[in-house]
Amino acid sequence: MNDEPSSMNSTPTGKLYLVPTPIGNLEDMTFRAIRILKEADLILAEDTRTSAPLLKHFEIQNKVFAHHQHNEHQSSNEIIKFLLMGQNVALISDAGTPAISDPGFFLVREALKFNIAVECLPGATAFVPALVNSGFPTDKFCFEGFLPLKKGRQTRYKQLATEERTLILYESPHRLLKTLEEMATYWGADRQVSVSRELTKMFEETVRGTVTEVKTYFETHPLKGEFVMCIAGAAPVEVDKKKRKYSDEDDED
C-alpha cells in the first residue's frame, strides 16, 4: 500500500457521493441517483456482480471497482487519493443506502479527515417501510441492524430487554427462527413483533403477532429473502422486571 494521501493539494478535491439503490423494485431508483452514477468518475460497488444488472438496466457504463467489508480499509487510502485529485466517486451497496449495515462508514470518516465533501442522496432503505408497516410507534425507535453472531449476542439481548422504543433488527433467512426463539427467551414469548421480507418485490410479506405466533408461522412457510424485524418496545412494568432479573443474574456470575 502506498504512503498516506496528502491533503496538501492545489487541485480542488472531488466529492464522495453515497447513492442508495433499490432494495428490490428497480422503479424505486431516483432520477438524481441515475444522474450522479452516470457523471461520477468512479463507482464503488459492494459486489460488482450484484450491481452489474442495475447499472446495465440504467445504461450506466462508468468504471466500477469493488469496495466491501473485506477490503475497505485497504482500498480507502487509494480512493482518498483519487478524490484529492479532483475526481468524483459514487459509492453503492448491493441494495439500499450505503453505510446502513453495509460498507461506507469507514470511507466517509476518512474522506472527512481530508476535508473532502461527502453527500448522501436520499433513497431506499429497508427498515423504514418495515417500521411504518409494523403499526408500532414511529416517533421513537432504535435501529440495531444485525445482532452480534456469537460474542456479545446474549449480552445485547439483555441490554435491549429494557428498551422502551420500537426495536428494528435485520436478520438472514437461516437465522430467523433461532432469533425468534432467543427473543422469546430474553424478551418474552408474548412480545409483539412484525417481520417483513422481500420488501418492494412481488412476494413482499409482513407477518405480525407475538413472538411465538410469528415463529410458528415461519416454521411452515418459506424462509426466503432478507428479513426486517420490528419489535414492540418493552412496557414500563416489564422494564422493571427485566432490570431486576438480569441484575440478579449478573450478581450470581
Side-chain angles (χ1 to χ4, degrees):
M1 184 60 65
N2 295 332
D3 296 334
E4 285 291 319
S6 172
S7 59
M8 299 299 291
N9 194 321
S10 58
T11 304
T13 61
K15 180 182 285 189
L16 173 63
Y17 292 93
L18 279 71
V19 182
T21 54
I23 59 176
N25 194 322
L26 291 181
E27 292 180 359
D28 294 333
M29 190 73 168
T30 68
F31 293 120
R32 184 179 171 208
I34 295 171
R35 177 179 62 80
I36 293 297
L37 291 177
K38 287 185 174 181
E39 294 177 354
D41 297 294
L42 175 68
I43 297 174
L44 304 174
E46 185 178 358
D47 188 327
T48 56
R49 295 166 299 179
T50 300
S51 299
L54 172 79
L55 299 176
K56 181 178 180 181
H57 179 82
F58 292 108
E59 299 180 345
I60 299 167
Q61 301 176 348
N62 305 46
K63 293 181 180 179
V64 182
F65 289 91
H67 182 79
H68 46 74
Q69 63 176 346
H70 301 297
N71 77 346
E72 61 179 337
H73 285 70
Q74 292 78 13
S75 67
S76 290
N77 199 37
E78 296 302 321
I79 296 166
I80 294 299
K81 290 181 180 179
F82 198 71
L83 287 159
L84 289 172
M85 292 168 57
Q87 305 296 298
N88 293 323
V89 175
L91 172 66
I92 59 176
S93 62
D94 287 346
T97 301
I100 302 297
S101 292
D102 278 322
F105 159 71
F106 183 79
L107 179 58
V108 169
R109 187 176 65 180
E110 292 303 297
L112 294 176
K113 286 181 181 178
F114 290 90
N115 296 316
I116 295 169
V118 177
E119 185 173 336
C120 181
L121 279 62
T125 187
F127 78 81
V128 173
L131 172 62
V132 174
N133 284 337
S134 71
F136 298 143
T138 58
D139 56 333
K140 295 179 181 179
F141 58 88
C142 178
F143 175 70
E144 284 288 316
F146 290 96
L147 291 175
L149 295 182
K150 294 181 180 179
K151 185 178 181 181
R153 189 175 178 90
Q154 185 181 78
T155 299
R156 198 74 192 114
Y157 273 121
K158 291 181 178 181
Q159 292 171 338
L160 294 173
T162 56
E163 177 57 65
E164 297 182 50
R165 296 171 293 178
T166 300
L167 281 167
I168 306 171
L169 305 176
Y170 285 162
E171 195 50 277
S172 64
H174 66 274
R175 283 197 304 267
L176 180 71
L177 294 178
K178 177 184 177 182
T179 297
L180 287 166
E181 183 178 335
E182 292 170 338
M183 284 182 182
T185 300
Y186 292 101
W187 300 345
D190 293 331
R191 181 74 73 91
Q192 291 289 317
V193 298
S194 174
V195 178
S196 298
R197 72 177 189 91
E198 297 286 79
L199 286 166
T200 78
K201 299 178 183 178
M202 182 180 296
F203 299 106
E204 176 178 332
E205 180 180 32
T206 295
V207 181
R208 306 174 184 86
T210 65
V211 171
T212 297
E213 291 170 341
V214 173
K215 180 174 182 292
T216 299
Y217 175 86
F218 280 112
E219 285 174 340
T220 57
H221 289 76
L223 292 172
K224 295 182 180 179
E226 294 300 314
F227 289 80
V228 184
M229 311 177 75
C230 296
I231 304 97
V237 64
E238 289 297 319
V239 170
D240 291 337
K241 290 180 181 179
K242 296 292 185 184
K243 284 183 177 179
R244 289 197 298 270
K245 175 184 177 182
Y246 293 134
S247 177
D248 292 342
E249 288 181 358
D250 291 340
D251 289 341
E252 290 174 1
D253 292 342

